[in-house]
Amino acid sequence: DDLAIYQDSTERVTTAISAAAAQLMLDYYTASSKSMIEQYFGTPSDIDGNGRIVVTTAPDLADSVVALVWSGDLNSVSSCAASNQMELVYFGVDGFTDMDSGTDPDFVALGTIAHEVKHIVSVFNTITAGRASNPLWVEEGSAEIAYEMSSRIAWAAAGGPAVGIAITGDQIVNAVVANGGIQSKEMWGVVDVIANLIPQLSTHPNSMVTAPVGANEFHSIYAAGWHFHRFLGDAYGGASTALADGPFFKSLTDLNAAGGITAITDATGKTFDQLFAEMITAMSLHEVGTAPARAFTTYDLVTASDIFSGPAVLAPPGVCPWPVTTDSGGTATVGFTTATYSGSMGIAGIRIHDFLSTGGSDIQIEVSVGAPGSIVVTRIN
């Protein structure tokens, strides 16, 4: 009733997706994604009048692409001759076959269907309203909220932590142990967004809005965009109450919204610079005993991101938010000694420093940063 899944006929000759994998996606979307999408982003359009989202495998997708929505399909053929005039999601066949991979399945495709349907809603509204497309980090970051929330709903329904409470590292580890040492399909999206955030914040240069020159290969504006939108949902949407942030996110994609960063400033009453500084403060004070007025509430990011033993990119020294003063042993703070810390930053990049007196009472810090960079001091004890 909600999805129709097809496979490219020539591709099926060599790699047929299983009925079991297709059924997993059908069930996951109906149980964990459809209502959430409507509550958080709006009801998808129905250009073709069939009442369903159509999913098809697409052999021409790059290996690095799990799935995509093409905006052309949401236009009429009069404005886009190649349009299929339907709500259509293209999937790589690996998204399905990986769910059948024996003792080490990969369920990224399940949350991805929620991510892609969110695109259908927001892109259709953008086209219909005649406004400019969202910046990529906004469009993908908010779609990652759909990916994450579908997983939170599925995990809670399967006995995991209730939607809205702060996810901890112990909850994730205990659930993996209870599932025989592998992630369950329900919790997959939660672990995935946390894993993607680690290299984005712990490596330099980083950026919330673009991929800066010299960035780590795993740096991701999907992760950066999710982190910012998760902060907005927690701090401005009241996400600690289950699904309460839905109306906030829906206001950003509404047909009558301004779109992009303007929609965010309209919903919060704050400029981007103010929100960015608030997020930096929330990161710096997260789990240190002094919660700011605007805070992360649905994740204990310190412990939730400290669950990996490897590879190195997922297990950097120290803990979230990984100050650049962290040494190889994981100690984040440095004493009041003569030292220099330098490095490059991307646009809307983040570098955090943590200093702790070892007996002296005075410290002098000199900072040189290119305009329009700024400094946020979050705590002095």
Side-chain angles (χ1 to χ4, degrees), residues 36 53 118 127 142 144 193 195 236 260 284 344 349:
M36 180 273 296
I53 303 297
K118 183 273 170 186
I127 293 170
S142 54
E144 285 293 270
V193 293
Y236 287 89
S284 300
S344 58

Side-chain angles (χ1 to χ4, degrees), residues 3-378:
L3 294 181
I5 300 176
Y6 296 86
Q7 181 168 24
D8 180 88
S9 57
T10 56
E11 178 188 48
R12 185 172 172 80
V13 174
T14 56
T15 309
I17 65 174
S18 70
Q23 191 65 51
L24 277 178
M25 181 176 288
L26 294 173
D27 293 343
Y28 183 93
Y29 181 77
T30 295
S32 306
S33 303
K34 182 183 178 183
S35 294
M36 180 273 296
I37 293 290
E38 294 172 353
Q39 183 172 346
Y40 274 67
F41 306 103
T43 302
S45 55
D46 190 18
I47 300 169
D48 53 1
N50 67 2
R52 301 176 179 87
I53 303 297
V54 175
V55 174
T56 181
T57 62
D60 293 337
L61 292 186
D63 290 341
S64 60
V65 177
V66 179
L68 63 81
V69 166
W70 179 49
S71 60
D73 288 330
L74 300 174
N75 283 276
S76 65
V77 291
S78 62
S79 58
C80 180
S83 174
N84 287 293
Q85 293 191 135
M86 64 195 306
E87 291 71 26
L88 183 59
V89 180
Y90 300 90
F91 254 89
V93 69
D94 289 348
F96 291 93
T97 58
D98 285 352
M99 291 192 281
D100 291 328
S101 55
T103 58
D104 189 26
D106 184 321
F107 296 106
V108 69
L110 298 182
T112 298
I113 187 62
H115 175 116
E116 298 301 335
V117 175
K118 183 273 170 186
H119 284 319
I120 287 176
V121 175
S122 57
V123 172
F124 178 83
N125 285 349
T126 295
I127 293 170
T128 303
R131 60 181 179 243
S133 298
N134 288 330
L136 190 61
W137 70 271
V138 171
E139 182 63 32
E140 296 298 351
S142 54
E144 285 293 270
I145 292 291
Y147 179 88
E148 171 224 352
M149 289 306 303
S150 70
S151 182
R152 288 216 60 164
I153 292 167
W155 192 15
V163 177
I165 73 167
I167 297 292
T168 68
D170 283 346
Q171 290 168 335
I172 295 173
V173 171
N174 292 341
V176 170
V177 171
N179 196 48
I182 61 173
Q183 299 173 48
S184 68
K185 60 183 182 294
E186 294 85 5
M187 69 184 298
W188 194 272
V190 169
V191 177
D192 205 28
V193 293
I194 294 296
N196 292 337
L197 182 64
I198 296 171
Q200 197 279 324
L201 283 182
S202 66
T203 63
H204 299 276
N206 59 37
S207 167
M208 200 170 76
V209 301
T210 189
V213 174
N216 184 278
E217 63 176 314
F218 295 107
H219 176 280
S220 168
I221 60 171
Y222 285 59
W226 172 79
H227 190 221
F228 183 74
H229 282 84
R230 184 68 274 152
F231 169 71
L232 295 179
D234 287 5
Y236 287 89
S240 57
T241 299
L243 307 179
D245 52 339
F248 173 84
F249 285 114
K250 192 173 182 178
S251 74
L252 304 182
T253 57
D254 187 83
L255 182 63
N256 296 316
I261 296 173
T262 303
I264 293 172
T265 59
D266 288 346
T268 61
K270 302 284 182 66
T271 66
F272 173 79
D273 287 351
Q274 290 171 323
L275 294 170
F276 191 57
E278 285 184 344
M279 185 186 75
I280 298 296
T281 301
M283 292 166 59
S284 300
L285 298 180
H286 189 56
E287 300 300 320
V288 299
T290 307
R294 303 291 185 180
F296 289 96
T297 62
T298 56
Y299 286 86
D300 174 355
L301 290 170
V302 172
T303 63
S305 61
D306 195 32
I307 61 174
F308 301 99
S309 57
V313 72
L314 291 183
V319 295
C320 184
W322 299 282
V324 296
T325 46
T326 304
D327 65 22
S328 60
T331 300
T333 59
V334 293
F336 292 179
T337 59
T338 301
T340 300
Y341 300 90
S342 63
S344 58
M345 298 177 68
I347 301 171
I350 300 168
R351 288 177 65 87
I352 293 177
H353 300 73
D354 197 352
F355 303 103
L356 179 66
S357 173
T358 52
S361 59
D362 303 312
I363 183 172
Q364 176 176 308
I365 300 174
E366 296 182 6
V367 180
S368 175
V369 60
S374 61
I375 306 161
V376 178
V377 179
T378 54

